[in-house]
Amino acid sequence: AARLNLTCSGVPEEYGGPGLGTLDNVIIIEELGWGCVGIASAIALNNIAILPVLLAGTEEQKREYLSRLTDQENPRLCAFALTEPEAGSDAASLKTRATREGDHYVINGNKCFITNGGVADFYTVFATVDPSRKHAGITAFLVEADTPGFSVGKIEHKMGMRASQTAELIFTDMKVPAENVLREEGQGFYVAMETLDISRPGVGALGVGLARAAFEEALSYAKQRVQFGKPIIRQQAVAFMLADMASKIEYARLLCYKAAWMIDQGMNAIKESSMAKYVGTDVAMEVCTDAVQIHGGYGYMKDYLVEKFFRDAKILQIVEGTNQIQRLVLSTQLMMG
Ligand code: COS
């Protein structure tokens, strides 16, 4: 993947990457999601972790950190560390504490459910310099994996998406140079939100790719499985399920494309980005559920691919902001509009 530049697709050419846009990335992620959501998320989440550097990094930070991701001899990964045990949907309530001491910060706290945790070379870590300031105290840091005080905790044993590693991170009196702050102290929440605004169509596209794979399996099974003397696709109950599945995939894809295209045009796409994420991933869950249903009892067995697809679909409705949070973001935009 690194040799094909898939792990750094959004890195501009001036920093050694292919300089692809959000729409290009959405198309790539759909294809990877079609193959395996676990592999696709390890790659896609790496691209998401790059975004804070692209959005908020100084020229020096970009040169230093982006070049590691584009080095084809020794390609490295990065990870986005926002979520905490008590701060999931309510990201502004995070508790990881950063205290300024001279030319560095001392960071203490925990992160959980971090994709590529333990395999990344560096992390974008969000910590607060003052919890009483709520979101305005949150600061983004670039943290090297080999920093003293940094350790990897529990590696999660997940229902699906099992080809990507998900880990807990522990920071104990971890010293990070002040020059590793992204943008400025107190700007981290905005960096995180701007990152998620751009990344969400890609998560929708993961869902579209997965839904497509599940649909193809269900279609091929329905053509060859004979009951009541004919292939079950000739039974209207099954045929109509397949018709709905095909249509849902098309409209979910178009939403992801539209949101990504708007981002590439520099338009405000907060609303469309949230739509793309929740529609793409809700469609994945619906299509995967129907694909298992069409397979009947066989669909519940590990011998059939749809069993894996069903498990992978569930997490997509939760990651990168639950689908309820997406509706919250979208309805807030509607209220403001
Ligand atoms: N883009 C840019 N800025 C945003 C934004 C967005 N999507 N959403 C909020 N902001 C800004 C607001 O404009 C506000 O700015 P001011 O300080 O100028 O007033 C500030 O951020 C705080 O906004 P708000 O009060 O709405 O923040 P909340 O704490 O209520 O949280 C949500 C808002 C729910 C949107 C946020 O907590 C969230 O996205 N949660 C989900 C987190 C997530 O996706 N986690 C997944 C793990 S990361 S892989």
Side-chain angles (χ1 to χ4, degrees), residues 45 80 82-83 88-92 135 189-190 193-194 196-197 200 270 319-322 325-326 328-329:
L45 267 290
F80 182 78
L82 176 67
T83 302
S89 291
D90 184 7
H135 71 272
F189 190 74
Y190 307 106
M193 292 297 116
E194 290 164 29
L196 295 171
D197 289 340
R200 284 173 174 157
I270 297 178
V319 290
E320 290 280 308
T322 64
I325 285 292
Q326 303 313 320
L328 176 75
V329 171

Side-chain angles (χ1 to χ4, degrees), residues 286-301:
E286 290 163 18
V287 168
C288 291
T289 303
D290 285 348
V292 171
Q293 191 70 16
I294 289 171
H295 279 72
Y298 292 111
Y300 203 64
M301 303 302 152

